[in-house]
Amino acid sequence: MRQADQDGYIFYPGLTAFPTTLGHEFSGKVVEAGALAINKRTGKRYEAGEAVCSEEMVWCGNCRPCADGFPNHCESLEEIGFTIDGAYARYLKVKARYLWSIEPLREIYGEEKMWQLGSLVEPTSVAYNAVIERGGGIRAGQNVLILGGGPVGAAACAVLRKSGASRVILSEPSASRREMALTMGATHVIDPTAVNVAEAVLDITEGQGAKLILEATGLPSIVWPDVERVIWEGRGINTTVVVVARADDRIPLNGEVLQVRRANVVGAQGHSGHGTFPNVISAMASGMDVSPMITKKISLDEADENCVMLQTDRDEVKITITKFD
Amino acid sequence: MRQADQDGYIFYPGLTAFPTTLGHEFSGKVVEAGALAINKRTGKRYEAGEAVCSEEMVWCGNCRPCADGFPNHCESLEEIGFTIDGAYARYLKVKARYLWSIEPLREIYGEEKMWQLGSLVEPTSVAYNAVIERGGGIRAGQNVLILGGGPVGAAACAVLRKSGASRVILSEPSASRREMALTMGATHVIDPTAVNVAEAVLDITEGQGAKLILEATGLPSIVWPDVERVIWEGRGINTTVVVVARADDRIPLNGEVLQVRRANVVGAQGHSGHGTFPNVISAMASGMDVSPMITKKISLDEADENCVMLQTDRDEVKITITKFD
Amino acid sequence: MRQADQDGYIFYPGLTAFPTTLGHEFSGKVVEAGALAINKRTGKRYEAGEAVCSEEMVWCGNCRPCADGFPNHCESLEEIGFTIDGAYARYLKVKARYLWSIEPLREIYGEEKMWQLGSLVEPTSVAYNAVIERGGGIRAGQNVLILGGGPVGAAACAVLRKSGASRVILSEPSASRREMALTMGATHVIDPTAVNVAEAVLDITEGQGAKLILEATGLPSIVWPDVERVIWEGRGINTTVVVVARADDRIPLNGEVLQVRRANVVGAQGHSGHGTFPNVISAMASGMDVSPMITKKISLDEADENCVMLQTDRDEVKITITKFD
Amino acid sequence: MRQADQDGYIFYPGLTAFPTTLGHEFSGKVVEAGALAINKRTGKRYEAGEAVCSEEMVWCGNCRPCADGFPNHCESLEEIGFTIDGAYARYLKVKARYLWSIEPLREIYGEEKMWQLGSLVEPTSVAYNAVIERGGGIRAGQNVLILGGGPVGAAACAVLRKSGASRVILSEPSASRREMALTMGATHVIDPTAVNVAEAVLDITEGQGAKLILEATGLPSIVWPDVERVIWEGRGINTTVVVVARADDRIPLNGEVLQVRRANVVGAQGHSGHGTFPNVISAMASGMDVSPMITKKISLDEADENCVMLQTDRDEVKITITKFD
């Protein structure tokens, strides 16, 4: 959002309603709770002190997609930090239904890391929604391929390794991101600028290919030949390709590949609904530590300069504001 | 609710919060709509005159089951006509999110029948939720068995016939209900007081059995031997038994039957969520006419005497109030 | 196969192993059965006289896809009439496991029509495998769109109407095929050379779009803009596009459409496995009459001239050999 | 099978066709392979020296369940070591389609342990088929409860921990089996003779209950009150109970529990099909080490005395023959 396009307008193409306070992907402490503010962890009213994180998608609960159980496709969506006030602030008012307790993380990680992991529940949920809810997950022992080692790709490595993937292969040009992914759950990393991705995947999997492929680069037309070759030449059938990164370009899809290899392509967006937030928190509580995604910690007054820096830097993954003074 | 138990208390075991105006399973015309009252049919604000029906379950949208997409299991449920005011009234205020337009029924059925079918969307949705959402539906050409020809069993006949069931077999002791079911979609009816149900089903299906069995009698321990024999002796595997009628008694389940025949047992309750209401309305609009379920039409001031009558009469199915003057 | 390409070679791009007797999509009478030739209808040895039809795909049962339950993707496939002798013959030897009894059709249709429908079980199973097994089917009351009114598209109309589709919309340029489809189960037909398909579908469905779209034209890049517009502008989410027709051209897929509308694209091939043949036969036995697909009946010695004629004629659907003398 | 019933007949109630050589759950080396003996790992003919394990279920591939993809329910089943000669022998002839390469285990575990793990692929596949194929698996972060710490229960701990379960709770009276399970993947163990199982589970899960419950005790009517209490009082809905142990007694099922908590009960048997064997082998190759299940290693000539001993000993889990001389 800090970035300008050629004409000087805001580059970010999504929904905004400025002026609003920015800030999403956050955790915090409940200070006050209304009489109807139910803590979904306990089924009782929130008490002050509860550590929580928040969905960023303020779904309406009334439209057809919401009524049918698909809040990620809400027709009257508001977004915290985009269309309504966000978390670059000391206090924030959020309806209880968008909050999820992160207390299960306190004992295993300690308070400081609990807050950091809490801020990562949302991006991890984007990955979880993509590969588990939309991609249908995997069965223990199957192989997966992640294209792109940004926050969603890295979190997908963690989620799929936790879900029992035998080989979690990440393709990512940045060396530092590849390193980071290996600490998150990737079992193999590939530099697509140095090797042929399809050949590397077929080699690593001994010719089997991948049951699930996540497109998280935003360059689908670039990576598609590799995607199709892995499907076509891999001996396994039933591959699901999940497209999670947003992109304008057209994917040159060969239907015959989907037919002969019994494959399919799925689109994914959002992080709400389907039990995703609480499942992610619970997975974190049992050892899925995605904190390596936070590559830099700053204070609130350093936010602006870091936003500027991010326009050119491709190595940092998550820059997290941990101090508000 | 009109019925007393042995000690003179209300017999109905479910949730109530009297005094409330009774009345659920209803349709009506929008008179006034709030600024945020969205018509899910159009995605725009409701306009006066729109014909609608209503869910009876006022789910909160905030608890864990609601947030996860399972409003039938809301932890803060209110029920129209049970815990809050219902439809034995000229006007009723209902939040737009519980309403569904029945305008698609107007042209094919005419206004009078549209209102009647509108009042049947809820009980039909209970059946649809049971056999489609919970039971997983069927594939065209498969056989089904419905035990119990009350409103839910009869509606299930209609839903499953519409869904492509080859043989829709209903077991029901009342002759008039059997007759009615044949007009709703049943292809075969059985009198369980006259024949052995399992033998009849195996005979009708030429030994195949049923892919889906709906327990809608409320006497599961009575019917279970027939259920298990159909599964055990039927040549088809993968039977799903859906238990939709409420009952206190214990089902004497033989796990080996589920193992050897790859079968499963599912519980079902409610009618909300999962696109069920709009799918039912759309199915009605394309010919699924469940109006034979309405076996008697009365005016509002005849309601009480008919409630008394229903305590002993087992032949009427739905008695519908069609006049309010 | 009768058609030559520019260089005079066989045009048909699939698997062949000539010289073989041609002929698939057939029915016949069991004359002799081996001791282990089990009739899957009865679980007992085949008896002479049983009316049967046959899969065309002779799957091996030994390879990884077969062992996993996906015979349509057999690694050692033989094809009756392509790589091994087919049905342009008085007698044919087929392993019992590829045969399915069509006796259930005898009483309702009579013997003559039974044989004809028997020959249509295979192409109908291609459609059934595409929309039900691969496409995940529909729920009663949902809308579908079929692109292409050849045998598979026409059979898909029948299967989806039987499965409870509210509106079955077929887009097909040939007037005679459109007429035929209306007798098979289509509720609406569109001429894509006369109207904009997407607009017509949105109009017919009152803005909802289609839950399932079948690409059966073989021209995916031509029809894709309409497919995406129906998904994008339709108010319903969760559309599945099934690509069943073979084609070389690339589909210009916009991933964002799949993301925002929670849609997916699936490839389908084959007709074997998953209970498809017996479900199709059972659906036929309960009224799904796909015989209008047979637009011409000939004798065996007229086969060659009709193959030549079919190279230019786009109106005939199935030309069936009903006489062998 | 070594055990006699009260009348002196064989106690084992399953299929046998003695005299046959006993012995199933085995691994071995390919010595000779027929021309059509395809190695599903490579898609090419087996070569001498390949390390393999074998399904015990010799499914026919021809009956209706086999043709539909459900070999665990084959109508003409033979069983290695029960109805046809088994592995208490130096050489054994098995059709290639029942074999699966265990070469992926060689590098990580070394040859000796590879053979042992190879012999455990079958019982692990029984557990995998139960909880993944039949139980539908879990999503990372969910809790599970395993009742019974015999081979299948212990293997289920390993499979579900690998699949991302947050808490894997085992209830088992034998202290040594509980110890063993903790090395296999259980995160918590309960002694049902010392504590109330339901209370312990609700306590461990902080009131949430279990998404998946495996009945592997063979005493379903004994454990059912705990199963239902975990479902009823646990705050999570959508529990699946998988019944895998064989038992004669009737489960006193309360349908209302399934209804109110959106739960279901599934039966499971067998280990074949659905990609289970290769998924288990691949999961083992990426760290799922179930070898603690082997609690004793013997030579072939000690087999008989150990079979006698097992009739009274409840602490040994798997006694494996590792020497044939």
Side-chain angles (χ1 to χ4, degrees):
Chain A
M1 284 184 279
R2 185 63 174 73
Q3 194 162 358
D5 69 8
Q6 291 176 324
D7 303 318
Y9 290 104
I10 184 173
F11 179 80
Y12 175 74
L15 196 64
T16 55
F18 297 137
T20 63
T21 304
L22 299 185
H24 64 293
E25 302 185 4
F26 61 96
S27 55
K29 193 182 291 186
V30 170
V31 178
E32 260 189 62
L36 298 175
I38 298 297
N39 181 343
K40 293 187 285 286
R41 179 174 73 85
T42 61
K44 296 177 188 151
R45 183 179 173 182
Y46 266 113
E47 293 181 9
E50 183 92 1
V52 296
C53 65
S54 174
E55 303 174 41
E56 173 258 13
M57 301 176 81
V58 175
W59 37 276
C60 74
N62 300 321
C63 67
R64 175 77 196 268
C66 279
D68 288 358
F70 304 106
N72 288 322
H73 303 268
C74 174
E75 295 176 355
S76 302
L77 193 68
E78 300 285 353
E79 294 185 66
I80 295 175
F82 296 75
T83 70
I84 56 177
D85 282 340
Y88 285 5
R90 186 163 294 279
Y91 297 100
L92 180 60
K93 190 171 160 184
V94 181
K95 278 200 182 169
R97 69 171 165 190
Y98 307 114
L99 297 183
W100 298 89
S101 172
I102 57 171
E103 289 293 337
L105 306 180
R106 191 185 291 269
E107 192 176 320
I108 171 172
Y109 293 109
E111 177 154 344
E112 191 182 336
K113 199 163 173 183
M114 173 185 76
W115 298 126
Q116 293 167 26
L117 283 169
S119 77
L120 295 174
V121 174
E122 187 210 304
T124 306
S125 291
V126 172
Y128 194 102
N129 178 70
V131 296
I132 305 296
E133 167 63 23
R134 291 295 289 140
I138 55 160
R139 293 187 173 195
Q142 293 178 324
N143 301 317
V144 301
L145 169 62
I146 314 294
L147 301 166
V152 173
C157 290
V159 169
L160 288 166
R161 180 68 171 278
K162 179 78 175 175
S163 302
S166 193
R167 298 179 187 90
V168 178
I169 308 167
L170 175 72
S171 171
E172 160 62 44
S174 155
S176 62
R177 288 184 164 195
R178 287 200 305 274
E179 278 306 302
M180 185 264 291
L182 285 169
T183 71
M184 295 269 293
T187 60
H188 301 76
V189 289
I190 301 171
D191 177 357
T193 65
V195 301
N196 179 286
V197 172
E199 281 170 22
V201 170
L202 292 166
D203 186 50
I204 291 166
T205 63
E206 291 169 13
Q208 285 221 296
K211 178 64 178 66
L212 192 145
I213 300 175
L214 183 70
E215 154 44 24
T217 66
L219 303 165
S221 63
I222 305 293
V223 302
W224 208 254
D226 280 325
V227 168
E228 288 197 344
R229 190 171 162 204
V230 168
I231 298 175
W232 189 258
E233 296 187 16
R235 297 197 56 250
I237 53 174
N238 291 315
T239 296
T240 295
V241 185
V242 182
V243 181
V244 68
R246 281 292 167 94
D248 267 347
D249 60 348
R250 296 263 159 186
I251 296 169
L253 179 73
N254 184 338
E256 204 171 358
V257 172
L258 302 188
Q259 292 167 332
V260 173
R261 310 307 298 154
R262 210 173 185 274
N264 59 313
V265 183
V266 167
Q269 75 174 18
H271 53 252
S272 293
H274 312 289
T276 298
F277 259 61
N279 281 341
V280 165
I281 294 165
S282 179
M284 286 178 174
S286 70
M288 187 179 77
D289 182 358
V290 298
S291 63
M293 257 203 283
I294 299 177
T295 50
K296 192 176 178 187
K297 295 168 194 170
I298 60 172
S299 63
L300 180 52
D301 55 17
E302 296 167 307
D304 188 56
E305 67 197 73
N306 277 276
C307 285
V308 173
M309 182 269 288
L310 273 174
Q311 294 170 27
T312 50
D313 183 285
R314 309 306 298 167
D315 283 338
E316 299 294 350
V317 182
K318 285 284 172 200
I319 300 176
T320 300
I321 299 169
T322 55
K323 274 177 257 161
F324 280 76
D325 300 301
Chain B
M1 285 184 278
R2 186 62 174 75
Q3 194 163 357
D5 69 9
Q6 290 175 324
D7 303 318
Y9 290 104
I10 185 173
F11 177 81
Y12 176 74
L15 196 64
T16 56
F18 297 139
T20 63
T21 303
L22 300 184
H24 64 291
E25 302 184 4
F26 60 97
S27 57
K29 193 182 290 187
V30 170
V31 178
E32 261 189 61
L36 300 175
I38 297 297
N39 182 342
K40 292 186 286 287
R41 178 175 73 86
T42 60
K44 296 177 189 152
R45 183 178 173 182
Y46 266 114
E47 292 181 9
E50 183 92 1
V52 295
C53 64
S54 174
E55 303 174 41
E56 173 260 12
M57 303 176 79
V58 174
W59 37 276
C60 75
N62 300 323
C63 67
R64 175 78 196 269
C66 279
D68 287 358
F70 304 107
N72 288 322
H73 302 268
C74 174
E75 294 176 355
S76 302
L77 193 68
E78 300 284 354
E79 294 185 67
I80 295 176
F82 296 75
T83 69
I84 56 177
D85 283 339
Y88 286 4
R90 185 162 296 277
Y91 296 100
L92 181 60
K93 191 172 160 183
V94 181
K95 279 200 180 169
R97 68 172 163 189
Y98 308 114
L99 297 182
W100 297 91
S101 172
I102 56 171
E103 290 292 338
L105 307 180
R106 190 184 293 270
E107 193 177 319
I108 170 173
Y109 293 108
E111 178 155 343
E112 191 182 335
K113 198 163 174 183
M114 173 186 75
W115 297 123
Q116 294 167 26
L117 283 169
S119 77
L120 295 174
V121 173
E122 188 212 303
T124 306
S125 292
V126 171
Y128 194 102
N129 179 70
V131 296
I132 304 298
E133 168 62 23
R134 291 296 287 140
I138 55 159
R139 293 188 172 194
Q142 294 178 324
N143 300 318
V144 300
L145 169 62
I146 313 295
L147 301 166
V152 172
C157 290
V159 169
L160 288 166
R161 179 69 171 278
K162 179 78 175 176
S163 301
S166 192
R167 298 179 188 91
V168 178
I169 308 168
L170 175 73
S171 172
E172 161 62 43
S174 154
S176 61
R177 288 182 165 197
R178 289 199 303 273
E179 278 305 303
M180 186 264 291
L182 285 168
T183 70
M184 295 269 294
T187 60
H188 301 77
V189 289
I190 300 171
D191 178 355
T193 65
V195 301
N196 178 286
V197 172
E199 281 170 22
V201 170
L202 291 167
D203 186 50
I204 290 166
T205 62
E206 291 169 15
Q208 284 222 298
K211 179 63 179 65
L212 192 146
I213 299 177
L214 183 70
E215 154 45 24
T217 66
L219 303 165
S221 63
I222 304 294
V223 302
W224 208 254
D226 279 325
V227 168
E228 287 196 344
R229 191 172 161 202
V230 169
I231 298 174
W232 189 257
E233 297 187 16
R235 298 198 56 252
I237 53 173
N238 291 315
T239 296
T240 295
V241 185
V242 182
V243 181
V244 69
R246 281 293 167 95
D248 268 347
D249 61 348
R250 296 263 159 185
I251 296 169
L253 180 72
N254 185 338
E256 204 171 358
V257 172
L258 302 187
Q259 292 168 332
V260 173
R261 310 307 298 155
R262 210 174 185 276
N264 60 312
V265 183
V266 168
Q269 75 174 19
H271 52 252
S272 292
H274 311 290
T276 298
F277 258 62
N279 281 341
V280 165
I281 294 164
S282 180
M284 286 178 174
S286 71
M288 187 179 76
D289 182 358
V290 297
S291 62
M293 258 203 281
I294 299 178
T295 51
K296 192 175 178 188
K297 295 168 195 171
I298 60 172
S299 64
L300 179 53
D301 55 17
E302 296 167 307
D304 188 56
E305 68 197 74
N306 277 276
C307 286
V308 174
M309 181 271 288
L310 273 175
Q311 295 170 25
T312 49
D313 183 284
R314 309 307 298 167
D315 283 337
E316 298 294 350
V317 181
K318 284 286 172 199
I319 300 177
T320 299
I321 299 170
T322 54
K323 275 177 257 161
F324 280 76
D325 301 301
Chain C
M1 285 184 279
R2 185 63 174 73
Q3 194 163 357
D5 69 8
Q6 289 176 325
D7 302 318
Y9 290 103
I10 185 172
F11 178 80
Y12 175 74
L15 196 63
T16 56
F18 297 138
T20 63
T21 304
L22 301 184
H24 64 292
E25 302 184 3
F26 60 97
S27 56
K29 192 182 292 187
V30 170
V31 179
E32 259 188 63
L36 299 174
I38 298 296
N39 181 344
K40 293 187 285 286
R41 177 174 75 85
T42 60
K44 295 176 189 152
R45 183 178 172 182
Y46 266 114
E47 293 181 9
E50 183 92 0
V52 296
C53 66
S54 173
E55 303 174 41
E56 173 260 12
M57 302 177 81
V58 174
W59 37 276
C60 74
N62 301 322
C63 67
R64 174 78 197 268
C66 279
D68 287 359
F70 305 106
N72 288 322
H73 302 269
C74 174
E75 295 176 355
S76 302
L77 193 67
E78 299 285 353
E79 294 185 67
I80 296 176
F82 295 75
T83 71
I84 56 176
D85 282 339
Y88 286 5
R90 184 162 294 276
Y91 297 100
L92 182 60
K93 191 172 161 183
V94 182
K95 278 198 182 170
R97 69 172 166 191
Y98 308 113
L99 296 184
W100 298 89
S101 172
I102 56 172
E103 289 292 338
L105 307 180
R106 190 185 291 269
E107 192 177 320
I108 170 173
Y109 293 109
E111 178 155 343
E112 192 182 337
K113 198 164 175 184
M114 172 185 77
W115 297 124
Q116 294 167 26
L117 283 169
S119 77
L120 295 174
V121 173
E122 188 212 301
T124 306
S125 292
V126 172
Y128 194 104
N129 178 70
V131 296
I132 305 297
E133 168 62 23
R134 291 296 288 140
I138 55 160
R139 294 188 172 194
Q142 294 178 324
N143 301 318
V144 300
L145 170 61
I146 314 295
L147 301 166
V152 173
C157 290
V159 169
L160 288 166
R161 179 70 172 277
K162 179 78 176 175
S163 301
S166 193
R167 298 179 187 92
V168 178
I169 308 168
L170 175 73
S171 171
E172 161 61 44
S174 155
S176 62
R177 288 182 166 197
R178 288 200 305 273
E179 278 305 303
M180 186 264 292
L182 285 168
T183 70
M184 296 269 293
T187 61
H188 301 76
V189 289
I190 300 170
D191 177 357
T193 64
V195 301
N196 179 286
V197 172
E199 282 170 21
V201 170
L202 291 167
D203 186 50
I204 290 166
T205 62
E206 291 169 14
Q208 284 221 298
K211 178 64 178 65
L212 193 146
I213 299 176
L214 183 70
E215 154 44 23
T217 66
L219 303 165
S221 63
I222 305 294
V223 302
W224 208 254
D226 280 325
V227 168
E228 288 197 343
R229 190 171 163 203
V230 169
I231 298 174
W232 189 258
E233 297 188 15
R235 298 197 56 250
I237 54 174
N238 291 315
T239 296
T240 295
V241 185
V242 182
V243 181
V244 68
R246 281 292 167 94
D248 268 346
D249 59 350
R250 296 264 160 187
I251 297 169
L253 180 72
N254 184 338
E256 204 172 358
V257 171
L258 302 188
Q259 293 168 331
V260 173
R261 309 308 297 155
R262 210 174 185 275
N264 59 312
V265 182
V266 168
Q269 75 174 19
H271 52 251
S272 292
H274 311 290
T276 298
F277 259 61
N279 281 340
V280 164
I281 294 164
S282 180
M284 286 179 174
S286 71
M288 187 178 76
D289 182 358
V290 298
S291 62
M293 258 204 281
I294 299 177
T295 50
K296 191 176 178 186
K297 295 167 195 169
I298 61 172
S299 63
L300 179 53
D301 56 16
E302 295 167 306
D304 188 57
E305 67 198 73
N306 278 275
C307 287
V308 174
M309 182 270 289
L310 273 174
Q311 295 170 26
T312 49
D313 183 284
R314 309 306 297 167
D315 283 336
E316 298 295 350
V317 182
K318 285 285 174 200
I319 300 176
T320 300
I321 299 170
T322 54
K323 274 178 257 162
F324 281 74
D325 300 301
Chain D
M1 285 185 277
R2 186 62 173 75
Q3 194 163 357
D5 69 10
Q6 290 176 323
D7 302 318
Y9 289 104
I10 185 173
F11 178 80
Y12 175 75
L15 196 63
T16 55
F18 297 138
T20 63
T21 304
L22 300 184
H24 65 291
E25 302 184 4
F26 61 97
S27 56
K29 194 182 291 185
V30 171
V31 178
E32 261 189 61
L36 299 175
I38 298 298
N39 182 344
K40 292 185 286 287
R41 178 174 73 87
T42 60
K44 295 175 188 152
R45 183 179 172 181
Y46 266 113
E47 292 181 9
E50 183 92 1
V52 295
C53 65
S54 173
E55 303 174 40
E56 174 259 12
M57 302 175 80
V58 174
W59 37 275
C60 75
N62 300 322
C63 66
R64 175 78 196 269
C66 280
D68 287 359
F70 304 106
N72 289 322
H73 302 268
C74 174
E75 294 176 355
S76 303
L77 193 69
E78 300 285 353
E79 295 184 66
I80 295 175
F82 296 76
T83 70
I84 56 177
D85 283 340
Y88 286 4
R90 186 163 293 277
Y91 297 100
L92 181 61
K93 191 171 159 185
V94 182
K95 279 199 180 168
R97 68 171 165 189
Y98 308 114
L99 297 182
W100 297 90
S101 173
I102 56 171
E103 289 292 337
L105 307 179
R106 190 184 292 269
E107 192 177 319
I108 170 172
Y109 293 107
E111 178 155 343
E112 191 183 335
K113 197 163 175 182
M114 172 186 76
W115 297 125
Q116 294 167 26
L117 283 170
S119 77
L120 295 174
V121 173
E122 188 212 301
T124 306
S125 291
V126 172
Y128 194 103
N129 178 70
V131 297
I132 305 298
E133 167 62 23
R134 292 295 288 139
I138 55 160
R139 293 187 172 195
Q142 294 179 324
N143 301 317
V144 300
L145 169 62
I146 313 295
L147 301 166
V152 173
C157 290
V159 169
L160 288 166
R161 180 69 171 277
K162 180 77 175 177
S163 301
S166 192
R167 297 178 188 94
V168 178
I169 308 168
L170 175 73
S171 171
E172 161 61 44
S174 155
S176 61
R177 288 184 165 196
R178 288 200 304 274
E179 278 306 303
M180 186 264 292
L182 285 168
T183 70
M184 295 269 294
T187 60
H188 301 76
V189 290
I190 300 171
D191 178 357
T193 65
V195 300
N196 179 287
V197 172
E199 281 170 22
V201 170
L202 291 167
D203 187 50
I204 291 166
T205 62
E206 292 169 14
Q208 284 220 297
K211 178 62 178 65
L212 192 146
I213 299 176
L214 183 70
E215 154 44 24
T217 66
L219 303 165
S221 63
I222 305 294
V223 302
W224 207 253
D226 280 325
V227 168
E228 287 196 345
R229 190 171 161 204
V230 169
I231 298 174
W232 188 258
E233 296 187 17
R235 297 196 58 250
I237 54 173
N238 291 316
T239 296
T240 295
V241 185
V242 181
V243 181
V244 69
R246 280 293 166 96
D248 267 348
D249 61 347
R250 296 264 159 187
I251 296 169
L253 180 74
N254 185 337
E256 204 171 357
V257 172
L258 303 187
Q259 292 168 332
V260 173
R261 309 307 297 155
R262 210 173 184 276
N264 59 312
V265 183
V266 168
Q269 76 175 19
H271 52 252
S272 292
H274 311 289
T276 298
F277 259 61
N279 281 341
V280 164
I281 295 164
S282 181
M284 286 178 174
S286 71
M288 187 179 76
D289 181 358
V290 297
S291 62
M293 256 202 282
I294 298 178
T295 51
K296 191 174 178 187
K297 294 167 194 170
I298 61 172
S299 64
L300 179 53
D301 54 18
E302 295 168 306
D304 187 56
E305 66 197 74
N306 277 275
C307 286
V308 173
M309 182 270 288
L310 273 175
Q311 294 170 25
T312 49
D313 183 283
R314 310 305 299 166
D315 283 337
E316 298 294 350
V317 181
K318 284 286 172 199
I319 300 176
T320 299
I321 300 169
T322 54
K323 274 177 259 164
F324 280 76
D325 300 301

